[in-house]
Amino acid sequence: MDKLQRTKVVDVLRRTDFGADVNVKGWVRTHRSSKAVDFIALNDGSTIKNVQLVVDPTHFDAELLKQITTGACISATGVLVESQGQGQSSEIQCRDITLYGGCATDYPMQKKGQSFEYMRQHAHLRLRTNTFGAVMRIRHHMAIAIHQYFHEHGFFYFHTPLITASDAEGAGEMFQVTTKNLYDLEKDENGKIIYSDDFFGKMTSLTVSGQLEGELGATALGQIYTFGPTFRAENSNTPRHLAEFWMIEPEVAFIELADLMHLEEDFIKYCVRWALEKCRDDLEFLNKMIDPTLLDRLEGVVREDFVRLTYTDGIRILEEAVKGGRKFEFPISWGMDLASEHERFLVEEHFKKPVIMTDYPKGIKAFYMKLNDDGKTVQGTDVLFPQIGEIIGGSVREENYDKLVAQIEERQIPMKDMWWYLDTRRYGTCPHGGFGLGFERLILFVTGMQNIRDVIPFPRTPKSAEF
């Protein structure tokens, strides 16, 4: 048993009290052997950096040293000394090693240069690699930054249900929740499943958004935010979609369009600034290994004012680009939903800075968005980012009861279970609005990773629910 209390690697590397005894525990990254000296790089997940253990092989059992291979877990005690080599300021002259767990030679993460696709097949072990350690530490910091921002600005953290009978997006791509025997479903004369004997007595699903319930919170507490898992049974096998992901959804009473756009910009800049200040080592690693433009792009977001652009003006810019010879896979016309290539053209090539697009055609946006006086467009806002496209979607909500009901009926949305939502427009309605930010899209941007499956520990995608 080690008498010394364990010190995390991140703390050992900050220390300058050379000559002190220290104990570290972690997993071996590399082990280089020679007759005169062995070097073991040890990492415990607390930092992207390893601590170097300097081992005199004549003082250790040769069989023990053979077992200290990449992936093995050890405890090491020794003297903290100033490093003689480059790349680290301190190292540990090792006098005692305890092997907690050896690592078989078929350890999947021991080879260099594995593809991300390969590592997804071993998602239970990929977290031990430098890249995924960096991504997960940044993910943690972004979660803290989000809570901190809203707390500092007087928002209340509001928990909305994960099991719901409503479909906020009206898309219908939801995972059902049931206790019924799927092999013996009772149906009515029209062939529809009878849910009266199910747990909730009605058809229920996993939530696609906490927004509608969040509006109830905002009309009571003034300003709230949700931050939790959401689920979409969308059969999209793309680098941008997950079936299970996390959403941040603030909702604010008495907010107007200009203030909503300011909130979106201020919030995202706060998060990026937090990453630059508190995740520097991990960002520098990702900038070196994954995306050499990452740090410049993050610093640009903090520095630049976001462009405010109406949808109509955006379409005009895209049409002019096509006339000038720019080719897009999808055609441009007013009334269409912009594709990612269109969004990225506006952000990366035309303005070269983030864009907040507003005033979309009502037909391509959700039923709850506030109708403009022109009767054709709604007060929706999308924040468009380089490399990502849309990162935030928001709107001022339609607070007028009659107009909201008209939109529901026009779109033929089944609202028999939504009486409670309409009550907010019957009992003391107020102007209000908010936005939704996909947490993984934020992590994609902040880390420079290219696939959304690589910024969540265990991705859930079509035909994939491993680990």
Side-chain angles (χ1 to χ4, degrees):
M1 178 69 69
D2 293 304
K3 296 178 183 178
L4 275 174
Q5 186 175 0
R6 173 203 169 206
T7 304
K8 290 182 181 179
V9 170
V10 67
D11 296 323
V12 163
L13 295 175
R14 292 185 185 129
R15 287 175 57 170
T16 55
D17 55 335
F18 302 122
D21 285 350
V22 292
N23 169 256
V24 290
K25 300 176 181 181
W27 293 269
V28 175
R29 286 283 196 260
T30 58
H31 181 181
R32 292 182 288 131
S33 302
S34 69
K35 287 184 179 179
V37 66
D38 283 19
F39 296 105
I40 299 170
L42 195 71
N43 190 283
D44 64 1
S46 61
T47 172
I48 191 71
K49 296 177 179 177
N50 306 320
V51 64
Q52 180 165 276
L53 311 179
V54 183
V55 178
D56 183 344
T58 62
H59 293 170
F60 287 87
D61 179 61
E63 285 305 308
L64 171 66
L65 292 180
K66 279 183 186 176
Q67 293 179 71
I68 300 174
T69 58
T70 296
C73 184
I74 65 172
S75 170
T77 303
V79 180
L80 184 69
V81 297
E82 203 163 358
S83 179
Q84 301 303 305
Q86 291 185 333
Q88 66 272 334
S89 59
S90 58
E91 58 192 21
I92 297 172
Q93 292 279 0
C94 208
R95 67 165 181 267
D96 182 68
I97 295 175
T98 301
L99 178 67
Y100 286 143
C103 194
T105 55
D106 61 350
Y107 177 51
M109 295 297 128
Q110 63 184 341
K111 294 181 295 185
K112 291 184 179 180
Q114 304 102 325
S115 70
F116 287 124
E117 184 63 44
Y118 169 85
M119 286 196 272
R120 271 175 230 132
Q121 297 166 19
H122 303 277
H124 59 309
L125 296 172
R126 69 177 182 170
L127 302 171
R128 295 195 204 169
T129 65
N130 285 334
T131 298
F132 285 93
V135 169
M136 293 307 144
R137 281 187 294 272
I138 291 170
R139 186 181 171 101
H140 157 79
H141 271 284
M142 288 298 88
I144 298 298
I146 286 160
H147 285 299
Q148 190 68 23
Y149 177 86
F150 287 121
H151 181 67
E152 288 177 6
H153 289 78
F155 285 70
F156 297 104
Y157 185 27
F158 190 72
H159 296 125
T160 55
L162 298 185
I163 300 174
T164 179
S166 65
D167 179 358
E169 300 298 319
E173 293 164 329
M174 303 176 77
F175 291 100
Q176 278 195 52
V177 175
T178 183
T179 57
K180 293 176 75 68
N181 179 356
L182 299 182
Y183 297 100
D184 186 21
L185 292 172
E186 187 182 356
K187 299 180 181 179
D188 64 17
E189 63 274 13
N190 297 316
K192 292 187 176 181
I193 297 168
I194 297 170
Y195 286 97
S196 58
D197 62 340
D198 204 355
F199 188 91
F200 294 106
K202 62 171 71 174
M203 180 178 166
T204 54
S205 304
L206 294 176
T207 184
V208 297
S209 168
Q211 181 207 310
L212 303 187
E213 294 88 351
E215 288 185 46
L216 306 183
T219 54
L221 300 170
Q223 48 186 27
I224 62 91
Y225 72 104
T226 74
F227 186 5
T230 50
F231 310 86
R232 294 195 186 171
E234 186 179 5
N235 193 15
S236 294
N237 248 319
T238 79
R240 289 162 51 89
H241 290 90
L242 291 167
E244 175 186 293
F245 55 99
W246 287 65
M247 283 279 284
I248 301 99
E249 296 179 294
E251 198 70 30
V252 186
F254 315 115
I255 198 168
E256 296 181 350
L257 185 61
D259 295 324
L260 177 61
M261 290 190 285
H262 172 76
L263 175 65
E264 291 168 340
E265 178 172 354
D266 192 54
F267 166 70
I268 206 128
K269 283 185 172 180
Y270 182 97
C271 292
V272 172
R273 196 178 298 116
W274 183 287
L276 286 167
E277 290 174 1
K278 302 187 185 298
C279 309
R280 197 77 196 186
D281 287 347
D282 287 322
L283 288 177
E284 286 176 353
F285 170 81
L286 293 170
N287 191 85
K288 178 182 176 183
M289 303 300 293
I290 303 297
D291 181 354
T293 67
L294 176 62
L295 284 170
D296 285 345
R297 197 164 59 250
L298 294 178
E299 284 160 0
V301 163
V302 172
R303 184 175 61 246
E304 299 282 3
D305 291 335
F306 293 9
V307 174
R308 269 64 168 166
L309 179 73
T310 67
Y311 169 91
T312 300
D313 286 343
I315 290 292
R316 179 180 51 77
I317 291 168
L318 290 165
E319 287 175 339
E320 288 174 358
V322 170
K323 288 177 186 174
R326 185 65 161 82
K327 287 183 168 52
F328 294 108
E329 183 181 350
F330 297 100
I332 311 290
S333 63
W334 196 96
M336 61 165 283
D337 206 354
L338 294 185
S340 178
E341 61 174 341
H342 305 137
E343 296 169 341
R344 290 186 60 177
F345 171 81
L346 292 169
V347 172
E348 296 172 17
E349 297 182 42
H350 187 80
F351 290 107
K352 294 184 170 61
K353 59 173 73 174
V355 171
I356 306 181
M357 187 171 276
T358 65
D359 302 307
Y360 286 84
K362 68 177 183 179
I364 62 172
K365 288 297 180 182
F367 72 93
Y368 48 71
M369 295 191 182
K370 186 177 179 66
L371 201 61
N372 282 319
D373 292 338
D374 61 14
K376 296 192 303 180
T377 60
V378 291
Q379 293 185 23
T381 68
D382 283 355
V383 180
L384 311 179
F385 257 36
Q387 293 210 326
I388 304 293
E390 181 198 336
I391 194 169
I392 282 179
S395 77
V396 177
R397 318 307 187 192
E398 181 56 75
E399 81 271 15
N400 182 284
Y401 178 87
D402 293 331
K403 289 181 179 179
L404 187 60
V405 170
Q407 279 299 303
I408 290 166
E409 292 174 348
E410 186 179 313
R411 295 164 188 250
Q412 299 180 320
I413 296 172
M415 292 289 280
K416 65 182 188 312
D417 295 321
M418 297 297 290
W419 55 270
W420 53 268
Y421 181 69
L422 289 170
D423 272 359
T424 58
R425 275 68 171 175
R426 295 174 63 224
Y427 304 129
T429 189
C430 70
H432 63 287
F435 66 80
L437 166 68
F439 187 49
E440 283 71 28
R441 294 250 176 121
L442 174 65
I443 307 303
L444 264 184
F445 180 75
V446 172
T447 60
M449 299 293 280
Q450 299 300 307
N451 194 312
I452 203 163
R453 301 171 195 202
D454 297 330
V455 296
I456 192 169
F458 308 106
R460 296 289 176 257
T461 55
K463 304 294 187 290
S464 177
E466 299 301 320
F467 316 114

